[in-house]
Amino acid sequence: MSAFGQVGDLLQLVPVQRAGAGLLLAAMGLPVVGVVIVGLDIMPVRFAMMHVALLGIAVGQLLGLDPVLCALVACALAGAGVAPLARTADGLSGAMGLLMSLAIAAALLMLALSGVNANGAFALLWGSILAVRPVDLAVLGALAVALPALFVWRRRELSLLLHDRELALCSGVAVQRLTVLLLVLVAVAVAGAIRLTGALLVDALTLLPALAARRLGRSLVSITLWAIGIGLVVNVVGFLASLAWDLPPGPVLVLTAGAVALAAHLIPERRTPSWREPASSSVPSPH
């Protein structure tokens, strides 16, 4: 049977259809999270939320609750809780480091004391894309609507905040409240991607499309649109390739996204003003 015939047969299976739908929904929302991560310069957030998600999974297994939903709640609470510590851009990274250390220590202690099988908790960190459930699709669908809608609704404030925090404060933007909202959405999005690629490979859905888009876009809106477009292409191509050659989807998605990001950075940089130039330059256009 040819690779194309094999893909056609596999796409008739409900688990494969759910996985594909999950990746399409993820591509509509999670690359927007990557734009936030790059804009706020909080790269450690992915690792911090991975550890918080593990804590949530451990709590879920201990209490007999859905581990992924517990991870979502834990990440949302952690994102809101760490925001008051983020008074400056450096404070964001420091707060994430503190959160990461505390979360992994609490998770490991809970797993050790409870006697819960740790293999089940750690397995979710690598993802199980064919185990995507309707509830997972509902979470990804909500993110696919909420994240782009937030960028449309608050594009001026977001453009200022992601460009320069002090400039946003001076311009009357409610920086603290907006930062809390962004951190909660970032945290929930990272947790929402656990079932697809696992927390360890979440960069394929969030950060890598945003890094490529930052090279191609000249404004917050164009960068966001590029990130979503790249996310769609990467998810479709990576998923079909993994089906055709019987490869694990997570690593294939990461390699596909990485290749696109690398190709984007090989394109000669244009000399037009960039949205991410230093604060001494002119205020960026929200359009």
Side-chain angles (χ1 to χ4, degrees):
M1 181 184 296
S2 68
F4 292 107
Q6 176 176 302
V7 170
D9 290 341
L10 290 174
L11 288 176
Q12 303 302 313
L13 303 176
V14 173
V16 176
Q17 293 173 358
R18 286 179 179 169
L23 286 172
L24 290 176
L25 291 173
M28 296 298 295
L30 299 188
V32 182
V33 168
V35 175
V36 173
I37 292 174
V38 172
L40 291 178
D41 193 19
I42 49 171
M43 301 300 179
V45 69
R46 298 120 59 222
F47 304 109
M49 292 307 152
M50 177 188 73
H51 290 78
V52 172
L54 177 60
L55 175 58
I57 292 168
V59 171
Q61 289 193 331
L62 177 63
L63 300 179
L65 302 174
D66 185 278
V68 175
L69 290 180
C70 288
L72 284 169
V73 173
C75 286
L77 293 175
V82 79
L85 302 176
R87 302 294 182 184
T88 64
D90 292 338
L92 281 169
S93 296
M96 290 300 169
L98 173 64
L99 180 63
M100 178 170 55
S101 301
L102 295 177
I104 189 60
L108 293 176
L109 181 61
M110 183 174 298
L111 289 171
L113 295 178
S114 65
V116 173
N117 182 8
N119 290 332
F122 282 99
L124 281 174
L125 296 181
W126 279 266
S128 181
I129 195 169
L130 295 180
V132 170
R133 306 160 303 171
V135 66
D136 300 316
L137 294 179
V139 171
L140 292 170
L143 290 170
V145 173
L147 288 165
L150 175 63
F151 266 58
V152 172
W153 179 41
R154 294 292 188 184
R155 64 181 182 275
R156 177 186 176 275
E157 292 90 340
L158 287 169
S159 183
L160 287 170
L161 175 61
L162 299 182
H163 173 72
D164 185 87
R165 186 185 181 90
E166 297 302 322
L167 181 60
L169 279 169
C170 295
S171 301
V173 177
V175 169
Q176 189 65 23
R177 185 170 57 192
L178 190 55
T179 300
V180 171
L181 178 59
L182 290 176
L183 287 177
V184 169
L185 289 174
V186 167
V188 170
V190 171
I194 287 177
R195 187 72 69 175
L196 289 176
T197 63
L200 294 176
L201 299 178
V202 72
D203 286 353
L205 304 180
T206 56
L207 188 63
L208 294 178
L211 289 175
R214 186 177 64 168
R215 183 74 174 185
L216 300 171
R218 297 288 96 186
S219 68
L220 180 59
V221 172
S222 65
I223 288 173
T224 303
L225 291 176
W226 270 109
I228 293 173
I230 291 170
L232 285 169
V233 171
V234 165
N235 286 3
V236 170
V237 172
F239 186 54
L240 293 179
S242 68
L243 293 178
W245 287 284
D246 193 21
L247 298 171
V252 174
L253 288 170
V254 173
L255 291 174
T256 305
V260 172
L262 180 60
H265 280 77
L266 293 177
I267 298 174
E269 188 172 7
R270 290 173 288 180
R271 295 183 179 180
T272 53
S274 173
W275 166 69
R276 290 293 297 159
E277 283 183 354
S280 58
S281 61
S282 59
V283 177
S285 169
H287 307 290

